[in-house]
Amino acid sequence: MAEDNVNKAAEDKKEVSTDAADVKRKVEGNSAKLETFEYDNDIVRKFAIATLVFGIVGMLVGLTAALEFVFPEINAGIPYITFGRIRPLHTNAIIFAFVGNSIFTGVYYSMPRLLKTPMWSKKLSNFNFWGWQAIILAAAITLPLGFNSSKEYAELEWPIDIAIAVVWVAFGVNMFMTILNRRERHLYVAIWFYISTFLTVAMLHIVNNLELPVSAFKSYSIFAGVQDALVQWWYGHNAVAFFLTTPILGLMYYFVPKAANRPVYSYRLSIIHFWALIFIYIWAGPHHLLYTALPDWAQSLGTVFSIMLIFPSWGGMLNGLLTLRGAWDRVREDPVLKFFVVAITAYGMSTFEGPMLSTRSLNAIAHYTDWIPAHVHIGGLGWNGFMAFGMLYWLFPKMWGGKLWSTKMANAHFWIGTLGILFWALPMYWAGWTQASMWKQFTDEGILAYPNFLETVTQLAPMYGLRAIGGTLYLTGAILGVINLWKTAQKGSFIKTETAQAPALPKKYKKPKGEYWHRWIERRPVQFFILSLVAVVIGGVIEMVPTFLVKSNVPTIASVKPYTPLEIEGRDIYIREGCNNCHSQMIRPFRSEVVRYGDYSKAGEYVYDHPHLWGSKRTGPDLHRLGDKYPDSWHYRHMLDPELTSPGSIMPPYPWLFENDLDVSDTPDKIEAMQTLGVPYEEGYSQQAVNDLNRQAKEIASGLTEEGYEVAHDKEIIAMIAYLQRLGTDIKAQDQQNEE
């Protein structure tokens, strides 16, 4: 152990001397002439304020969603605040508004200082800021209105997707031009993570959002069924990886050493952490689809690489925590370090739990349960939230030239927020185990112990109440943080620009003797970008290309037919209302699920599903075999008031479906779009689609009238009933033919 410490000290000394020699050469190569430049704090301030504002907004929306599980009457028949609509609003607000703005805050502060140069373009910096806020505003308007592509963490429709790409590319151009104009030859580890974040998020966003527009705010994914699910979770998992993890790791590598006044524990460990993480992460998406209709080989690849992720992830966690060596005595008093310690610990917990959940044994228990939101919120509240607040507590005194207004209030924020995390997550872990146990339990006679799904929902009421308390605590802490930072700014004087000096980067560079091997790529940003791109592309290509090209991966089923025009309209309403946020459409091959729902789901059943609607959570039962299970009147009553059919249900009523006229103006365009995507409607069918739609709608309305329910055939509820009654009937028809 002593020998290891001596060797490490010698290595650190050599690295320091190498850096010093590099600086000396730079000075000598420029005749010791120092160039003067300024760091722009104004753009940092803008993003910091946006972080705080949208953090509070996103948390308020999340708390509202949590309270709807405790007090379902909150909805009061208002379409814009149902869980199905505000759940994507909450996730987008937290991921892209709160965490996204915190990422830009940290990047725009740290990058110029690490590269010893101002950002390349103030205009692009401001375009990045205002463009990003405009996107957030567009999301806040469109998602409650029901403009929703249904893809998890990517629900925004195509015009906003294009805007995201434009703003993201502007950020990337600004970043890379800044790197190319740097005065520091070697790229520090934080910059590595920023580079990988930009290129991978761009790739993920573009591929996942390849869609065919139908109207200004309606589109269909070009992928269908199994392929769409694979692309979605390749994106979904890696959005967590490359938007909620890698840029935050970059911030960790900059702000934790700054706050602790200690160097990063291990340069070599950071190299392993970075390259192993970005290469392995991209393969792990299929672990979200275990036991589904996805080909087994793809599921197995996802599991293997997910388990491997433990090693680089924990390498990063240890590098962060061990950076605090010699500074642990300060953690007791310094709220910034407290936030960072818990954030890094939460990162370690999440990145251990994630690979464990990707094993088949644990996935069979946890998937579709509240265990998964608990896992996600350990990362979201702990890792992302506490890193953001720790960074802001460090930044505000620096930028306003003073001290933090109240250390006691910051410590109170820390403890209240930590309690909030515990009250949020622990009840949801408990709820997850409860759900899985009740769903899978059989009596001695071999029948389901809890055949009525609603029994599991009512059992979870106390856990949902505790979760709401946890959310309230976390939000309370965040409000204290906002007040503290506002007072800090009010007390100080904002430093809009900071003057700095550094010698220009010499055009010629002579490699010093004994330089560590990885240094060569650190001084070559273009090559670094290319190698990073290769590392993240490989996994996606190997997993997706065979699924698209090899026909045996998605065997067709002769009885599966395209949706009728009325069913397409009903499916779009289902997507608009966010029903897939609570209901899955994927029956796994478990005895408990087959007995409860019907035959397990086949890949060939989804070939016309643009997009897929497999879901990731069962607040309500799976719906893939719902068709013909109940009469039309049951669905009519259930959508009007769920408690009429399911006493104790926490599902909101949908009275507007009975009031809204069904808009069929785009129906022909939707049929043509489906034809373009390969759905085999007859040529010219779009011209008669509306007639067929009306014919089917009148049949449903007539049947309801006979049962005593007066409803016009041109109401949205008719289309919804048509879609729900179609689910799973194709495979049932095939089974009946086989029996005959």
Side-chain angles (χ1 to χ4, degrees):
M1 185 69 179
E3 185 179 351
D4 288 343
N5 290 334
V6 170
N7 290 338
K8 185 182 183 306
E11 177 189 317
D12 289 343
K13 184 177 180 181
K14 183 166 67 175
E15 289 175 11
V16 171
S17 63
T18 300
D19 289 341
D22 191 25
V23 171
K24 183 180 179 182
R25 278 191 300 278
K26 279 193 260 185
V27 174
E28 291 172 350
N30 289 272
S31 302
K33 183 179 179 181
L34 295 176
E35 297 181 345
T36 302
F37 51 91
E38 292 182 335
Y39 297 131
D40 178 17
N41 285 340
D42 187 52
I43 189 67
V44 180
R45 174 176 61 175
K46 289 176 181 175
F47 277 114
I49 293 171
T51 300
L52 294 170
V53 170
F54 287 120
I56 298 299
V57 171
M59 292 172 205
L60 277 170
V61 177
L63 180 58
T64 302
L67 288 171
E68 288 182 346
F69 281 67
V70 184
F71 307 107
E73 62 273 12
I74 287 176
N75 289 288
I78 302 172
Y80 313 112
I81 62 170
T82 59
F83 179 80
R85 295 201 192 189
I86 68 169
R87 192 265 185 180
L89 178 62
H90 167 61
T91 56
N92 279 266
I94 292 299
I95 295 171
F96 301 110
F98 173 54
V99 179
N101 275 308
S102 76
I103 291 167
F104 290 127
T105 300
V107 169
Y108 277 103
Y109 184 87
S110 63
M111 181 176 287
R113 288 161 175 81
L114 289 170
L115 300 174
K116 295 184 173 63
T117 185
M119 293 301 295
W120 180 63
S121 170
K122 283 189 177 182
K123 289 183 178 179
L124 278 182
S125 298
N126 282 294
F127 176 76
N128 183 183
F129 174 77
W130 291 111
W132 199 255
Q133 310 320 310
I135 289 165
I136 293 166
L137 179 61
I141 294 171
T142 58
L143 289 172
L145 289 174
F147 298 118
N148 182 347
S149 70
S150 88
K151 292 198 170 188
E152 200 151 353
Y153 313 141
E155 293 90 350
L156 302 177
E157 271 292 356
W158 67 271
I160 307 175
D161 289 336
I162 292 173
I164 292 170
V166 170
V167 173
W168 191 254
V169 168
F171 162 65
V173 169
N174 203 10
M175 178 174 70
F176 276 98
M177 291 305 297
T178 303
I179 292 172
L180 293 177
N181 286 281
R182 69 196 185 280
R183 293 182 177 84
E184 175 62 46
R185 186 172 300 278
H186 290 93
L187 302 180
Y188 179 65
V189 58
I191 306 294
W192 312 348
F193 282 100
Y194 300 160
I195 291 173
S196 69
T197 295
F198 166 72
L199 66 92
T200 312
V201 168
M203 176 183 70
L204 294 167
H205 175 75
I206 291 170
V207 174
N208 187 53
N209 290 295
L210 291 174
E211 48 210 4
L212 186 63
V214 175
S215 63
F217 285 99
K218 182 61 187 175
S219 63
Y220 293 121
S221 172
I222 69 167
F223 309 109
V226 171
Q227 290 97 338
D228 190 57
L230 177 58
V231 172
Q232 154 62 30
W233 284 111
W234 171 76
Y235 164 87
H237 180 79
N238 290 301
V240 173
F242 289 92
F243 199 86
L244 298 179
T245 301
T246 55
I248 311 302
L249 287 168
L251 301 184
M252 179 194 80
Y253 274 111
Y254 180 82
F255 287 101
V256 171
K258 285 287 186 181
N261 197 26
R262 302 287 299 171
V264 170
Y265 173 69
S266 173
Y267 165 67
R268 295 183 180 183
L269 184 56
S270 68
I271 295 171
I272 298 170
H273 177 207
F274 173 76
W275 289 107
L277 191 78
I278 68 168
F279 175 75
I280 294 173
Y281 235 131
I282 209 77
W283 297 75
H287 79 227
H288 291 263
L289 301 171
L290 297 184
Y291 295 108
T292 68
L294 188 73
D296 283 343
W297 64 265
Q299 297 182 38
S300 298
L301 271 179
T303 296
V304 169
F305 279 90
S306 297
I307 293 172
M308 291 166 61
L309 265 175
I310 293 176
F311 301 104
S313 298
W314 272 49
M317 177 197 69
L318 292 172
N319 216 7
L321 289 178
L322 291 174
T323 296
L324 296 171
R325 68 197 188 285
W328 283 100
D329 58 312
R330 291 173 49 205
V331 174
R332 183 173 58 186
E333 303 295 334
D334 189 344
V336 172
L337 294 181
K338 283 189 177 74
F339 277 99
F340 285 158
V341 167
V342 171
I344 297 169
T345 304
Y347 170 64
M349 292 170 61
S350 294
T351 53
F352 176 79
E353 185 183 17
M356 293 300 98
L357 287 171
S358 70
T359 61
R360 287 183 176 269
S361 54
L362 274 182
N363 186 277
I365 298 170
H367 195 52
Y368 290 130
T369 74
D370 284 308
W371 184 338
I372 305 304
H375 163 63
V376 171
H377 279 75
I378 288 292
L381 300 174
W383 168 232
N384 298 133
F386 271 26
M387 275 298 298
F389 281 113
M391 176 187 72
L392 293 172
Y393 276 127
W394 187 86
L395 273 176
F396 268 61
K398 295 283 183 184
M399 294 198 300
W400 271 270
K403 293 183 178 181
L404 189 65
W405 183 66
S406 173
T407 300
K408 288 184 178 180
M409 184 179 284
N411 281 317
H413 174 190
F414 169 78
W415 288 113
I416 293 171
T418 301
L419 281 174
I421 295 171
L422 294 175
F423 270 91
W424 205 109
L426 293 179
M428 289 299 96
Y429 284 123
W430 182 10
W433 277 103
T434 301
Q435 287 168 309
S437 300
M438 294 180 74
W439 292 348
K440 293 178 177 294
Q441 189 171 343
F442 283 83
T443 66
D444 293 339
E445 291 75 24
I447 61 174
L448 286 170
Y450 303 99
N452 185 352
F453 188 93
L454 190 57
E455 293 179 277
T456 66
V457 178
T458 55
Q459 190 70 28
L460 303 180
M463 292 80 139
Y464 289 148
L466 289 171
R467 175 176 65 175
I469 292 173
T472 303
L473 287 170
Y474 196 89
L475 175 60
T476 301
I479 292 171
L480 290 178
V482 170
I483 294 171
N484 202 357
L485 293 172
W486 176 64
K487 287 288 189 181
T488 300
Q490 194 178 49
K491 184 179 71 171
S493 178
F494 180 64
I495 304 168
K496 190 172 183 179
T497 59
E498 292 181 40
T499 302
Q501 290 184 319
L505 197 66
K507 294 182 178 179
K508 293 184 179 180
Y509 177 76
K510 183 178 180 181
K511 177 182 175 181
K513 186 177 180 180
E515 182 183 64
Y516 195 65
W517 66 269
H518 192 262
R519 292 275 183 171
W520 74 270
I521 192 66
E522 293 172 34
R523 57 178 177 264
R524 292 177 171 85
V526 176
Q527 291 90 330
F528 193 99
F529 177 91
I530 293 170
L531 281 178
S532 300
L533 183 62
V534 170
V536 298
V537 164
I538 292 173
V541 169
I542 291 177
E543 286 180 342
M544 287 192 288
V545 170
T547 309
F548 296 154
L549 299 182
V550 181
K551 193 173 182 180
S552 61
N553 280 309
V554 186
T556 57
I557 300 173
S559 62
V560 175
K561 306 298 181 185
Y563 293 107
T564 67
L566 184 63
E567 290 160 0
I568 287 178
E569 294 293 351
R571 193 173 195 269
D572 288 344
I573 293 170
Y574 184 96
I575 290 171
R576 183 190 74 192
E577 301 302 336
C579 300
N580 54 304
N581 287 307
C582 290
H583 296 281
S584 60
Q585 290 187 26
M586 173 54 63
I587 303 169
R588 299 176 295 176
F590 300 144
R591 177 191 173 203
S592 58
E593 296 200 12
V594 171
V595 171
R596 185 182 298 276
Y597 301 120
D599 196 13
Y600 69 91
S601 302
K602 318 293 193 303
E605 296 182 74
Y606 302 99
V607 293
Y608 304 130
D609 282 16
H610 296 271
H612 82 288
L613 296 174
W614 293 4
S616 61
K617 171 76 166 59
R618 284 179 184 154
T619 304
D622 188 276
L623 302 182
H624 195 215
R625 297 281 179 255
L626 182 65
D628 292 340
K629 184 176 181 180
Y630 304 108
D632 292 348
S633 58
W634 188 94
H635 293 290
Y636 181 96
R637 297 170 68 227
H638 186 65
M639 300 303 294
L640 183 63
D641 183 355
E643 290 209 76
L644 293 175
T645 58
S646 309
S649 173
I650 59 174
M651 174 179 159
Y654 291 85
W656 54 92
L657 298 184
F658 299 78
E659 301 164 2
N660 294 348
D661 291 337
L662 181 63
D663 183 1
V664 298
S665 60
D666 291 332
T667 301
D669 294 332
K670 292 178 179 180
I671 295 296
E672 290 176 3
M674 289 295 179
Q675 287 175 313
T676 302
L677 295 172
V679 180
Y681 293 106
E682 295 178 2
E683 187 175 349
Y685 180 67
S686 61
Q687 302 305 312
Q688 68 180 71
V690 174
N691 290 333
D692 285 357
L693 180 151
N694 285 325
R695 187 181 304 112
Q696 185 181 5
K698 288 176 181 177
E699 290 175 2
I700 295 172
S702 176
L704 287 169
T705 300
E706 290 176 3
E707 294 188 55
Y709 300 96
E710 289 295 333
V711 58
H713 77 279
D714 60 351
K715 298 300 181 183
E716 289 184 339
I717 184 62
I718 299 297
M720 176 68 90
I721 291 173
Y723 173 63
L724 294 174
Q725 291 289 39
R726 174 64 186 275
L727 291 173
T729 54
D730 287 342
I731 203 76
K732 292 177 183 178
Q734 184 188 49
D735 293 341
Q736 289 174 357
Q737 290 175 1
N738 292 337
E739 290 175 4
E740 293 172 359

